[in-house]
Amino acid sequence: MEQSVSDVRYWIHQLSERENHFLIHVLLPGDAVVVLAYATGIERQRIKGALQGKAGRDFRQLKWEFIYTVLATTRRHVFNKKYFVETTLLRISRHYNVSVQELLCFFCEDRKMRNQVLPFDLIKILDELYKWYGAGKEAKEEQKKAEDIVNRYFNPSILSSAEKEMLLQAAPFLIEALPVLKIEQSLYAFIKKEFAVLINNRNRLKHWLELSRQYGSMRLVEWLDSILRELFRRLSVRQRWACISELKNRHIRILYWNIIVKNILLTRKFLSTCRIMPISGMRD
């Protein structure tokens, strides 16, 4: 295994499939079963998988080039099956401009369709990598959305590193609560413009952190209910009614106004909490 990459490429093309299998048994007697099952799976990528139509007939030799190159780079270390599988997948994905996730998806689907029996170690590795490259990507996108929400709807200058971390850890909550954050931001701008009332951002942050801890036990309309109650505590009766009118006029498309009316805003319970007298004939 001391040859250069060009030497490896040369003698790979001189070997038949059977000779490659024999060589793998010589090089990795304890792990040959995993490597050869993996090599067979890679070959099927060309026929029916992510490489269909992209890889030519020379792929049979090329796949061995990927395999032996990775083995050559790890020759001074204990053979790590997961590193070997992941690194060869990364090399193939870069060479053919496909994602690792696409390659892994085919492995999983092909195994189920053909009721294929693979070595347990290989199944475990493929499943772990699939979760990492599949769910990992979604988690990164979710985290990016949460960071954008924090930067836009919370004042980064007043956030401690611990507070920001707490908000980002509640990424699913922030994403689901985005309609409420939009309503709240619009109402704050309205209150500042119409009544010159400023909002205490520290108290607001504390309230949102408390809501994030209750994620899973409250519905979206209950978050809005809580935010409005907190906001209305600081306003006069006239100002509260102005906010309700603003909310109805501007946000009918963000949250269904009918649902809000029936469940929160104009119920006697909500209005009495805000110290507003309900109008005659209003339902509870």
Side-chain angles (χ1 to χ4, degrees), residues 67 81-82 87-88 147 163 176 183 192:
I67 289 171
K81 292 187 284 289
K82 184 176 180 180
T87 306
T88 50
E147 288 176 2
E163 289 168 338
E176 192 173 339
I183 289 174
K192 182 178 180 181

Side-chain angles (χ1 to χ4, degrees), residues 255-267:
L255 289 177
Y256 295 108
W257 170 249
N258 192 44
I259 294 176
I260 296 173
V261 170
K262 290 180 178 178
N263 289 282
I264 299 176
L265 290 178
L266 301 183
T267 62

Side-chain angles (χ1 to χ4, degrees), residues 156-184:
S157 64
I158 69 166
L159 290 176
S160 68
S161 57
E163 289 168 338
K164 185 173 183 179
E165 185 65 25
M166 288 174 66
L167 286 171
L168 292 177
Q169 285 177 356
F173 163 74
L174 290 178
I175 293 169
E176 192 173 339
L178 184 57
V180 177
L181 283 163
K182 289 180 178 179
I183 289 174
E184 181 195 46

Side-chain angles (χ1 to χ4, degrees), residues 68-112:
Y68 286 125
T69 300
V70 174
L71 291 178
T73 60
T74 60
R75 63 187 180 275
R76 294 189 179 89
H77 306 281
V78 175
F79 181 64
N80 184 313
K81 292 187 284 289
K82 184 176 180 180
Y83 174 83
F84 164 75
V85 171
E86 183 175 14
T87 306
T88 50
L89 285 175
L90 286 168
R91 286 174 179 268
I92 293 170
S93 72
R94 287 195 294 266
H95 187 87
Y96 289 103
N97 194 30
V98 297
S99 70
V100 173
Q101 187 178 6
E102 288 177 278
L103 295 170
L104 288 165
C105 277
F106 175 76
F107 269 113
C108 296
E109 292 169 4
D110 189 50
R111 190 176 84 227
K112 294 173 184 176

Side-chain angles (χ1 to χ4, degrees), residues 26-45:
V26 172
L27 295 172
L28 299 165
D31 298 299
V33 173
V34 171
V35 174
L36 293 176
Y38 174 63
T40 301
I42 292 176
E43 177 69 21
R44 286 185 58 76
Q45 294 273 4

